[in-house]
Amino acid sequence: MTEYGRGPGSEPWHPEDPLNGDQGWGGQQAAHGQSQYGGPQQPYPQAPYAQQPYPQDPYAQQPQQAYPQHQQYGAPQDPYAQQPQQHDPYAQQAPQPQYNGGWDTGQQAAMPYGTPPNDPYGNGTNGYGEPHDNYGTPDAYPPPQPPGRRESGPAQAPPQNPDWDPDVPQEETHPFFTGVDDDRDGRDPRDDDEYDDDPRDGRRGDRGGGERRGKGKKKSRNGCACLVVAVVLAGGVGGAGYVGYTYWQNKFGAAPDYSGQGSGSVEVEIPAGALGNEIGSILKAKGVVKSVDAFIAAQAENPEGKSIQAGAYLLHKEMSAAEAVKMMLDPKSQNVLTVPEGRRNADVYTLIDKKLGLKAGTTGDVAKKQAGSLGLPQWAKNHPELKDPLEGFLYPATYPAAKGMKPEAVLKQMVTRANEEYGKVDLEASAKKLGLKDPWQLMTVASLVQAEGKYKHDFDKVARVVYNRLKPGNVETNGLLDFDSTVNYAKSQSTLDIGAVKDLRQWKEPYNTYYIHGLPPGPINNPGSAALHSAMNPTPGPWFYFVSVTEDKTLFSVTNAEHNKNVAKYEAERKKSGQ
């Protein structure tokens, strides 16, 4: 609510002035537009919003005199209207507190229409001539006081210690600082201790002979605090030191490593294409080296470290990384078996027997008995007149093989590798494109290319010669392949002198291509990837014959007459070289 003070140029306000005493608290406030002295309104020059008085309606019905007339906002003063500060001799007046100065009451703006309409008497009474006292009950709060009259209770001075002198430094007496246990002036130390039991049970007067239930042990707070601080500091320093040492070791220290040549023996298999970190991981898992980083460092320091081949190795446990690298580079430590490209199965069986220390012929017998359980694909089964059903599936590669291993385990590794390599290409689609029945015939052509072509750069043309001779309208060979390699396979030999051709034309043998038309029953060796690729992608050309004169020179011809000339040239070159 806005307060209006006395205007500029007016008389100064005095607390003993009866007109200025306590109108804001005991007396009634003058209505808006009415003078505080009961006379006509004194206009306020500084109030621009004051409205002009309304002219009174002469025909308006006047209210009864039994009730005081409400003064209209801005209307002339009614001499019969109830004046402010009217004294009721029968009403009990509350004592008016005297102003003690310092608080400007100010003139409060009243409601524009006088007494609220719900007060029919217009004098703020309760209807029986007595004013309503909001603070008449004993439990009521005291009436509000102006700020200048508010008094707080007397401040209580803190109790003074007669023995305390503010000018004299105080001596520390707490046991934590002095290091001396306080005996509490001879009292039982248990009186001041903490107890593990409920404190209510330990303070029940003299019940139970005056003995407390909880008999806690005295806590030496100074000793415990020092111990805790020492433990925390020691743990922090130790942890920080460990972290720092670990960081230094990881960044600048040598990798963890064993020393010496180790002991015992362990077989380790390194897969094809494995890099240094992969080899190190395998060796660490087998307990050969202590860390991968140590092996990588040792491999880098050895000039031949990058030449470690895939295969099986017989190493020692807990050997230094440098010794492990050195041992893996030693051929004596390599428990591996390598199958060269174009080798027949009979030769591979002999190699396995020697590597595993078995009796000659052991692996061949196992292969014949267990061929169906070693993992051959379906298209490689049920072919009649085969000399060896595993031929073509002992894939040329390096395999782990050491004494103590079973031959069927080694054979299964080779068959599995062949399936993986053959699965990388679409043999069935290639066979159909080339006019062959199935992948089995395509594998047979690849074995012929591997056997007849001495050099890989001739494989593509050799493959074309094979397909040209297999054509039904072939008038040069009349559908016969006439390959010496098939005769040698049938006779389990490898020679240039296969006998007279007229005799071969009479020898009834499924693998004798001088007698049968078309392909032999199956592969005659284990072809490599290059021969297989050439069999799938032969070079276009009309050739029916070829002869390898030198390592870098192979002569291909179309007619038999031309071929005979080339053969004569080949014989002359061979005699000249002393072969």
Side-chain angles (χ1 to χ4, degrees):
M1 181 180 296
T2 307
E3 296 182 359
Y4 300 93
R6 299 174 64 90
S10 61
E11 295 294 332
W13 186 87
H14 195 277
E16 296 180 359
D17 190 347
L19 299 178
N20 299 327
D22 50 2
Q23 290 184 3
W25 300 94
Q28 294 181 348
Q29 301 294 329
H32 186 77
Q34 183 178 357
S35 174
Q36 293 181 353
Y37 304 96
Q41 177 184 3
Q42 300 294 331
Y44 299 100
Q46 72 276 19
Y49 55 83
Q51 299 180 0
Q52 298 298 325
Y54 294 99
Q56 186 164 357
D57 187 2
Y59 300 100
Q61 185 178 357
Q62 299 296 328
Q64 297 181 4
Q65 296 297 325
Y67 302 95
Q69 182 179 0
H70 294 279
Q71 181 178 352
Q72 299 298 324
Y73 180 82
Q77 179 74 25
D78 185 0
Y80 298 100
Q82 183 178 358
Q83 300 297 324
Q85 304 294 335
Q86 290 281 346
H87 179 69
D88 187 358
Y90 299 100
Q92 182 179 358
Q93 299 294 331
Q96 300 296 328
Q98 297 298 325
Y99 179 69
N100 58 359
W103 181 62
D104 187 6
T105 59
Q107 213 175 3
Q108 303 294 329
M111 295 296 293
Y113 296 101
T115 307
N118 58 354
D119 186 2
Y121 301 97
N123 55 3
T125 62
N126 56 9
Y128 296 97
E130 295 181 359
H132 181 68
D133 186 4
N134 294 325
Y135 306 97
T137 62
D139 297 333
Y141 287 100
Q145 299 294 331
R149 298 181 183 180
R150 298 174 183 173
E151 296 181 358
S152 58
Q156 296 294 333
Q160 299 294 331
N161 185 0
D163 298 332
W164 177 74
D165 189 353
D167 298 332
V168 178
Q170 298 298 313
E171 181 182 0
E172 293 291 350
T173 59
H174 195 279
F176 182 82
F177 301 100
T178 61
V180 180
D181 292 340
D182 187 4
D183 58 358
R184 303 295 182 184
D185 299 332
R187 292 178 294 167
D188 189 350
R190 291 177 299 174
D191 294 343
D192 296 329
D193 287 345
E194 297 178 358
Y195 297 91
D196 296 333
D197 296 340
D198 189 349
R200 294 174 297 177
D201 296 338
R203 291 167 174 79
R204 295 181 178 176
D206 296 335
R207 185 182 303 175
E211 183 180 359
R212 297 179 179 177
R213 290 181 55 191
K215 296 182 179 180
K217 297 180 179 180
K218 184 176 181 180
K219 297 181 179 179
S220 179
R221 292 180 177 83
N222 54 345
C224 292
C226 294
L227 179 61
V228 170
V229 172
V231 171
V232 171
L233 291 177
V237 172
Y242 175 78
V243 172
Y245 174 77
T246 304
Y247 177 82
W248 184 88
Q249 283 285 68
N250 293 336
K251 294 295 182 181
F252 309 105
D257 195 6
Y258 295 120
S259 60
Q261 299 181 354
S263 60
S265 62
V266 57
E267 184 177 344
V268 179
E269 181 179 353
I270 305 301
L275 301 177
N277 59 334
E278 297 173 309
I279 298 175
S281 299
I282 295 173
L283 296 180
K284 181 182 178 182
K286 291 288 186 177
V288 177
V289 297
K290 194 171 186 179
S291 67
V292 178
D293 293 339
F295 177 81
I296 294 175
Q299 186 185 28
E301 292 175 0
N302 194 309
E304 300 179 359
K306 300 295 182 181
S307 61
I308 296 177
Q309 301 294 323
Y313 297 85
L314 190 63
L315 305 175
H316 302 304
K317 281 183 171 293
E318 298 185 0
M319 58 191 310
S320 68
E323 288 294 332
V325 173
K326 182 179 178 180
M327 194 170 185
M328 294 180 75
L329 293 174
D330 186 359
K332 297 180 181 180
S333 302
Q334 300 176 7
N335 291 326
V336 295
L337 175 64
T338 300
V339 178
E341 295 178 348
R343 285 294 183 94
R344 301 171 187 166
N345 280 8
D347 298 334
V348 178
Y349 297 152
T350 302
L351 293 175
I352 295 176
D353 287 341
K354 291 181 178 180
K355 193 65 178 179
L356 302 185
L358 303 175
K359 182 181 177 181
T362 302
T363 303
D365 294 339
V366 172
K368 186 180 297 184
K369 295 177 182 178
Q370 302 185 20
S373 61
L374 295 178
L376 291 174
Q378 189 61 36
W379 51 266
K381 297 179 179 180
N382 302 322
H383 295 282
E385 300 180 331
L386 293 177
K387 289 189 64 174
D388 191 339
L390 293 180
E391 196 76 65
F393 279 87
L394 304 184
Y395 193 82
T398 300
Y399 303 94
K403 291 182 179 180
M405 295 182 64
K406 295 183 178 181
E408 53 266 31
V410 179
L411 293 174
K412 193 168 185 178
Q413 292 182 54
M414 297 178 180
V415 174
T416 301
R417 179 67 179 274
N419 289 331
E420 293 175 355
E421 297 297 329
Y422 298 156
K424 296 177 181 179
V425 294
D426 193 348
L427 296 178
E428 187 173 355
S430 298
K432 186 177 181 180
K433 179 183 68 174
L434 296 170
L436 302 175
K437 293 181 180 179
D438 50 31
W440 182 254
Q441 286 191 340
L442 182 59
M443 287 296 304
T444 303
V445 173
S447 68
L448 296 176
V449 172
Q450 183 76 60
E452 292 292 332
K454 282 188 176 182
Y455 312 108
K456 293 182 179 179
H457 55 268
D458 295 331
F459 283 173
D460 294 348
K461 291 182 177 180
V462 172
R464 175 51 61 188
V465 170
V466 173
Y467 290 120
N468 286 342
R469 290 186 180 186
L470 290 175
K471 290 181 179 179
N474 168 25
V475 296
E476 289 293 331
T477 62
N478 297 316
L480 296 173
L481 290 178
D482 290 345
F483 282 163
D484 296 351
S485 58
T486 60
V487 175
N488 285 329
Y489 181 79
K491 293 182 177 181
S492 299
Q493 64 182 19
S494 179
T495 180
L496 295 176
D497 187 7
I498 61 173
V501 174
K502 63 177 182 177
D503 296 334
L504 294 176
R505 299 293 185 192
Q506 303 297 322
W507 183 39
K508 297 180 179 179
E509 166 62 35
Y511 285 89
N512 180 14
T513 55
Y514 283 90
Y515 177 79
I516 65 169
H517 292 77
L519 293 171
I524 61 174
N525 56 39
N526 294 285
S529 58
L532 179 61
H533 182 270
S534 297
M536 296 172 61
N537 303 278
T539 300
W543 313 288
F544 284 92
Y545 307 95
F546 65 92
V547 58
S548 298
V549 179
T550 62
E551 182 177 349
D552 298 330
K553 188 176 182 180
T554 301
L555 303 177
F556 291 87
S557 57
V558 178
T559 64
N560 189 34
E562 186 181 0
H563 174 63
N564 290 334
K565 292 181 181 180
N566 291 333
V567 171
K569 189 176 182 178
Y570 164 73
E571 292 293 339
E573 291 288 344
R574 191 176 64 167
K575 288 180 181 180
K576 184 178 180 180
S577 62
Q579 295 180 356

